Amino acid sequence: MPIAEKETLTARARPQTNPMAQIASLTLTDLPRLKRLRQALLNERTAICIERARLVTDYFRRHGFEGTGPLMRQANVLAYLLDNLPTPIFDDELIAGSTTSHRLGALLFPEFLAQAIWPELATIDERKHDPVRLAQDDAGILAGEVFPFWRDLTVTEYVRREGGEPQSLRLAEQLVFYILSKANGISHIIPNYSAVVERGLEALVDEAATKESEATDPEVVEFHMATQISLKALIGFAERYALACEAAAGMARAQRADELRELAATLKKVPAGPARTLHEGLQAIWITQVALHQESSNTALSFGRLDQVLYPLYRTDMECGRLDTAGAAELMGSFFIKMGDHTPLVPCAGHELFGGSSTNQAVTIGGIRSDGSDGTNELTYLMLKVGEILALREPNLCARAHKGAPGPYRRAVMQSIASTGAAPAIYNDEAVVYALTEKGVALEDARDYGVIGCVETTSAGRTMGMTGAILLNLASVLELALNGGVHPLTGLQVGPNTGGLATLESFDELYSAFKLQLDSIVTLAVDGNARFAEAHAVLHPTPLLSSLIEGTSESGRDVTAGGARYNSSGVAVIGLADVADSLTAIRQVVFDRKLVSLKELAQALAADFDGYEKVRALLQYKAPKYGTDDGNADSMAVELVSLIDSTFSQHVGPRGGRYHVGFWTITMHTGFGKLTGSLPSGRRRGEPLASGATPVNGVARKGPTASLASTAKLPARQMANCIAVNHKLPRSILNGRPEMIEKVEQLVRAYLERGGMQIQFTVQDRQTLLDAQANPEKYRDLLVRVSGYTAYFCDLNRSMQDEIIARTEDLP
Amino acid sequence: MKEKLARPVRSLALHAMVLSIWLLFKVMRLVDPNFRKAVASLDTTYSFRCGRSARVLSFSGGRVRTGRTAKGRGPDYEIVFIDLPGALRQMAKHPNDVLALMAQNKITRTGNDYYLFLIGYLFGLCESRLQAIFRLPHAARRSGHEGLA
């Protein structure tokens, strides 16, 4: 009997109408298990799990680092982890596997940046933002054993030591110019879950064994040996969970005991063998995801196009009567809820940059297939609906759109956005596919793109993209250009001495200075990225992940060594709109119309416009702004996109690939904003920068059509790492008004037809947000869109909350 | 003239700060078993610098010492104060938030950041003990971490 049957009597009592209608009418009331699981997750407070950290430390304390190559070393430690990690089974769950030993936990990676929370060990459970539970004994183990062991062994320390305190690292640690996220592990990737579901891991083991026997290069032999060890360890991990389910069944009531025995049977079949049912498919994917999180960072490990991967299983289940709509929804919802079983562990100071973020595991639905035909299917709608009724921040649901997308799908996407207030984000296939092919991705692979993390786009299951490798503060580059290479906050001579603002004689001179500063910062960021890439290849390759990326089996190389079919490195640029507006203001107000002199501007900036209100007003109102469909302002933004992409294109990525540039900001537009002085756009010191590729808050005075028209002009071919375009709608004008939702849908369609790459909405009334700020306990699960990911509003720091409240409200 | 006065004042402030930290750690070592355990096996020397003034804080044999120079060995970690008054203000509000000192550019550092986090941990233990003694609300619950600048 299908697992969900007894829980879905309400659904079964309905007349059997067509599945699409059944999907559309699903509510959480029909799915009491999901309601319970959802509430259990929301009620839970994150607890730090030290098991992984303790085990990996224990392993290396006993075995050391010498004696084997890095691949075998990493495979063996992963096998040790998967053989010894706890295997908790929680009430009600239909998908087994837990990222930590807690229902909601935070992982620690002492090889990477875990030490950053050391100062807070005694106070972390009471800190203002994102308090997390930590047992006192565990704190003692971390402080006394784990962190001291890893003192000289982290990837950051490797980079520092091997590079002799390289300038690129020192600048990264200032946190004001750029951030190098490889310090936190290998992440931001989509494994080939098709292979897991369709072939099973034993087939991959056999393939690796064959490759091993054929290889003559010792490094290739080692790679294939390491992947076999890792895959077998994952199979063993699933079997351990099967045993745990059987043990739990022995202590459970009848119905639950049946469920647990069925779960145990599933785990004995998958992921070792191919999946034959939707349940098996979801279980295979999830247990693999849990294992991958133990190997490297639990950040933005995304799922790809699950509606495509799982649809054959879903269809078979539905056709043979093994599942009904509610049963399928229950499974899918259980899977979605599992995704939220872990959170990133962000130190106090990092909250300004990454606060409120989940682990950004993106799920992509809809869009065209590799052959160009529409891929929307019944499972697409089901996943959309389940995401809507759960209304959780995980997964980061991403809806692909294209010219031929069916009307019901478009409407369902808009309905979900209106209902959840934040999800899904919408991606334009025509623009994204074009961008990827321009960077060398084959057309059929580009069409098969998935979204990673916040908004980044790569060909799913075959790309080592590290899409968040460099996070660049473009406003800091402008500040260097305005100050002869000296950063005003630090006083350091960071870039070349291009002369201060007052010495420049023309806009072209300023722009040349800007280009030089950009080149200098990019060169340093690329250098830092390369150093961390080397550190990972030497210290911390990822054989399990590599076994699940197309290309590595043929190349015989780990993804960290460039073994994937496609290699690239991703950049996120923060501050596009502010810098575009600033440069436009200088050109028009200072040089063209001579309303303000350079000297006045320099003085005004130094004074943060105090005493220079007239200058500020001239800069704000006498220069056109990006976001008003003004040719002058928009052309500056377009020029900047082109410049940034071409600057990065001069560099080869660490694994031989190219740099893909994108414009999305997480919460860093507020974090970097606090570290940025006043700007010639009229922005004051410390104010947030604009989010993503969105115009600056408050300047899009000609309405959403003009704002989106500006954004649509940005050249997609030079934004292969995609963009986040944040728009806000008042919920009160959409609620119960399908005609308004349709208007928004038309606005979005027009934007996409003009080439807009991506768009996402926060649908909340200003008053609701203000009330949530004042009374967070009443709005625990209020969702908003940050700049990429979906977050609970009340988890965000005050600055980020204020920024969202201040966002321009579109009135369609 | 102002700059001529500022230098000795900064020097005085630096030495006073490090001496205060040394005294605090000495007291903590006596009253707090967790702190005692944390420093028991340390063999580490920190150098604090502001301009041309420098002072070291060293841990060995379970004890904490301070002096103008490191005896017999270079420091494991050096913290240079760019903005000493600002750093002191930040540390008074959030003593264990060493990352904020970096992010706010109050300090630059040389050496393995492990040592930065370690001393942050020691400050965190001090904060926790002081709260327990004086029944103070948790520092993080006061104004909260107000940001990077």
Side-chain angles (χ1 to χ4, degrees), chain A residues 355-525:
Chain A
S357 176
S358 63
T359 49
N360 295 324
Q361 298 160 93
V363 170
T364 310
I365 58 173
I368 54 177
R369 298 191 185 95
S370 295
D371 63 5
S373 63
D374 174 53
T376 317
N377 58 50
E378 211 169 279
L379 189 56
T380 310
Y381 292 94
L382 182 77
M383 291 174 72
L384 197 50
K385 189 64 180 178
V386 170
E388 178 189 332
I389 63 178
L390 285 178
L392 294 169
R393 67 178 180 182
E394 294 269 20
N396 180 15
L397 209 54
C398 305
R400 289 177 47 167
H402 62 99
K403 288 194 173 85
Y409 169 68
R410 292 175 186 270
R411 286 189 287 279
V413 167
M414 293 311 308
Q415 172 57 40
S416 183
I417 292 169
S419 174
T420 62
I426 300 171
Y427 295 78
N428 183 1
D429 277 4
E430 279 81 12
V432 171
V433 170
Y434 173 50
L436 290 174
T437 54
E438 286 289 298
K439 291 295 184 187
V441 179
L443 178 60
E444 60 275 12
D445 293 337
R447 286 173 176 154
D448 196 31
Y449 78 85
V451 180
I452 290 175
C454 290
V455 303
E456 311 91 275
T457 46
T458 68
S459 185
R462 51 183 76 87
T463 307
M464 173 56 169
M466 257 327 281
T467 58
I470 297 172
L471 311 168
L472 175 71
N473 179 8
L474 193 65
S476 71
V477 175
L478 178 62
E479 288 194 294
L480 293 175
L482 297 175
N483 293 280
V486 175
H487 190 260
L489 180 65
T490 62
L492 295 170
Q493 182 75 43
V494 173
N497 185 355
T498 49
L501 183 59
T503 68
L504 300 169
E505 294 186 355
S506 68
F507 178 78
D508 286 344
E509 275 191 32
L510 168 64
Y511 198 61
S512 295
F514 179 82
K515 286 188 203 176
L516 285 171
Q517 301 298 344
L518 178 67
D519 189 63
S520 167
I521 289 293
V522 166
T523 300
L524 285 164

Side-chain angles (χ1 to χ4, degrees), chain A residues 9-19 21-23 25 324-325:
Chain A
L9 290 175
T10 309
R12 278 193 171 270
R14 289 209 188 97
Q16 292 295 311
T17 53
N18 72 71
Q22 284 193 309
I23 290 170
S25 65
D324 58 12
T325 301

Side-chain angles (χ1 to χ4, degrees), chain A residues 56-127:
Chain A
V56 75
T57 305
D58 178 53
Y59 179 88
F60 282 115
R61 198 191 300 280
R62 288 191 283 119
H63 296 278
F65 291 84
E66 309 302 322
T68 61
L71 280 161
M72 287 298 290
R73 185 179 67 226
Q74 290 306 115
N76 286 329
V77 70
L78 178 66
Y80 180 74
L81 283 172
L82 298 184
D83 208 36
N84 287 282
L85 282 168
T87 51
I89 305 292
F90 299 107
D91 290 341
D92 258 340
E93 59 183 14
L94 294 176
I95 309 284
S98 186
T99 308
T100 73
S101 53
H102 306 285
R103 188 187 274 275
L104 179 60
L107 277 172
L108 282 175
F109 296 88
E111 316 96 299
F112 306 142
L113 290 176
Q115 292 172 9
I117 62 138
W118 197 1
E120 299 181 65
L121 285 189
T123 56
I124 202 165
D125 61 344
E126 290 180 322
R127 62 184 187 175

Side-chain angles (χ1 to χ4, degrees), chain B residues 8-9 13 30 34-36 39-40 44 50 52 79 81 83 86-87 95 106 121 128 130 135 144 147-148:
Chain B
V9 168
L30 290 172
N34 286 331
F35 191 93
R36 205 158 42 245
V39 302
T44 299
C50 184
R52 276 182 276 184
I79 296 173
F81 289 90
D83 173 11
K106 307 298 184 198
Y121 172 60
S128 203
L130 287 171
R135 302 268 188 268
L148 300 175

Side-chain angles (χ1 to χ4, degrees), chain A residues 290-303:
Chain A
V290 170
L292 286 169
H293 281 152
Q294 312 307 321
E295 185 179 51
S296 192
S297 168
N298 62 326
T299 307
L301 185 65
S302 296
F303 291 94

